[in-house]
Amino acid sequence: MSLRQKIAYAGRHFTPTWKYGFNLKSTMAYLRDHTEPAGEAARILSELNQNGIAISSVDKLLPNSSLFAELCNQVEQLEQSFGPRLEEARLAANHDTESLKTFIFKLLGETPILDPESVYARFALQPEILQIANAYFGMLTQLRYYNVWHTLASQSRARESQLWHRDREDHLILKLFVYFDDVDEGAGPFTYAPGTHRKGPIKQEPQTFTEKGVQRWNDEQMIPLVPESKWIKALGKKGDIVFADTRGCHKGGLARSKDRLLYTCLFTSPTSQVAELFNRPQHIPLPSDKAQAFALTRG
């Protein structure tokens, strides 16, 4: 890494430089014109700031929205259309332990098409959700990804994101997981070590090992940093929503006895180094709302 690259890397991991240097435009735009989260959204924001994770539900956060029902209908159709392929994927999840994330079948493909008019985009850009994302970052954020994940129950060894790790695409990273089915221990719930996010008090790193160039930790290595009694397991019901800053230590998807079906989306700062995760059409229609339009732009 060159000196210039080292300086840029350090800057992106120093909050004032990241916020008021790299992301000054979006920070100032947010400060000039934004609506503070209220009610359930405010509670979620408070828990996110404190722990790095917050759990809510469609009923609590979005009581007047019909988009979850629309999302459920769309996903049910996708599930039916992929029936045979899901069974093929299940065999791979149980027998091919070397391939990348064979335990997750992505219903929208590896690189979803960005369609602002789809229910997948409209769900993510609901005002309550976008207000939480923007307030957590303190700037206008951008929607970088959405998909529907079908986690396949298997007996393969824990690997990839089933092990503890951090996402490293940005200084802060906000992901949502919305459940289409009840998630119990057997479905491999998302699990988080509270306080390990950038805003949290825990700055140490566990003793690491590397898997395919990515730092991972097993449970024994995580326990000295955050005791198991403090881990937050996102067990939940259909319609529950998990908000998590995945820059903090987390794992999930180790489904043993039950499949897990969920919608996920990702928000980052405008200057995130994450590669484009959408198949982005050359021209897309943008909503009139400034924050929603900004969320759909790139660069």
Side-chain angles (χ1 to χ4, degrees):
M1 184 182 293
S2 69
L3 178 60
R4 177 176 294 181
Q5 288 173 322
K6 290 180 180 179
I7 293 172
Y9 180 85
R12 290 187 184 278
H13 291 79
F14 180 57
T15 300
T17 304
W18 170 76
K19 190 171 181 179
Y20 296 104
F22 289 100
N23 292 294
L24 178 62
K25 182 179 178 181
S26 57
T27 298
M28 296 308 296
Y30 174 77
L31 292 175
R32 284 194 301 268
D33 182 20
H34 70 276
T35 301
E36 290 290 341
E40 179 67 3
R43 183 197 67 80
I44 292 167
L45 176 62
S46 177
E47 290 195 11
L48 267 176
N49 284 325
Q50 179 177 348
N51 296 323
I53 182 172
I55 301 174
S56 184
S57 68
V58 170
D59 289 342
K60 292 179 181 177
L61 180 63
L62 308 164
N64 300 315
S65 174
S66 63
L67 288 180
F68 182 63
E70 183 179 346
L71 188 62
C72 288
N73 290 335
Q74 191 71 36
V75 170
E76 183 178 359
Q77 294 178 33
L78 282 175
E79 284 275 287
Q80 292 175 355
S81 68
F82 282 120
R85 289 182 58 187
L86 279 169
E87 292 311 308
E88 293 174 6
R90 190 180 304 280
L91 292 174
N94 275 285
H95 299 293
D96 183 0
T97 60
E98 299 300 325
S99 297
L100 180 63
K101 286 193 178 182
T102 55
F103 52 89
I104 294 180
F105 187 92
K106 299 175 182 177
L107 271 65
L108 300 183
E110 288 295 327
T111 310
I113 297 173
L114 175 58
D115 179 4
E117 298 179 350
S118 73
V119 67
Y120 309 108
R122 288 185 288 118
F123 189 92
L125 297 180
Q126 292 177 91
E128 295 87 347
I129 291 175
L130 196 53
Q131 285 171 9
I132 293 169
N134 292 345
Y136 183 68
F137 281 73
M139 66 182 69
L140 297 182
T141 56
Q142 294 187 328
L143 177 66
R144 293 298 175 90
Y145 180 73
Y146 55 64
N147 214 320
V148 178
W149 290 354
H150 187 136
T151 303
L152 301 156
S154 73
Q155 302 306 312
S156 300
R157 65 177 177 87
R159 64 193 191 279
E160 304 291 341
S161 59
Q162 294 171 330
L163 297 166
W164 290 98
H165 64 286
R166 297 181 186 272
D167 294 345
R168 299 185 181 274
E169 294 91 343
D170 206 347
H171 187 75
L172 302 178
I173 303 167
L174 184 61
K175 285 186 178 178
L176 271 66
F177 305 99
V178 184
Y179 296 163
F180 295 113
D181 294 305
D182 294 354
V183 174
D184 57 18
E185 288 279 3
F190 180 86
T191 304
Y192 197 89
T196 58
H197 59 313
R198 289 285 187 184
K199 297 185 179 185
I202 301 173
K203 305 303 181 185
Q204 306 96 314
E205 289 287 326
Q207 180 183 358
T208 63
F209 67 93
T210 301
E211 181 187 58
K212 297 182 181 179
V214 178
Q215 290 182 331
R216 309 281 188 191
W217 315 293
N218 58 34
D219 288 355
E220 290 70 27
Q221 291 167 318
M222 178 57 63
I223 287 171
L225 188 67
V226 180
E228 185 173 0
S229 60
K230 293 186 177 180
W231 297 352
I232 296 177
K233 291 186 178 181
L235 305 171
K237 302 291 185 180
K238 177 180 179 179
D240 280 359
I241 308 176
V242 181
F243 291 78
D245 182 347
T246 56
R247 195 65 179 80
C249 300
H250 64 284
K251 64 174 183 173
L254 189 59
R256 292 307 195 195
S257 60
K258 179 181 178 182
D259 287 6
R260 184 185 63 168
L261 184 63
L262 58 80
Y263 162 86
T264 185
C265 63
L266 163 69
F267 294 93
T268 72
S269 75
T271 62
S272 167
Q273 296 302 289
V274 65
E276 178 68 271
L277 297 174
F278 283 122
N279 181 351
R280 183 181 292 269
Q282 187 172 0
H283 300 289
I284 59 174
L286 294 177
S288 57
D289 181 88
K290 291 182 180 179
Q292 292 176 331
F294 190 93
L296 292 168
T297 61
R298 175 63 165 155

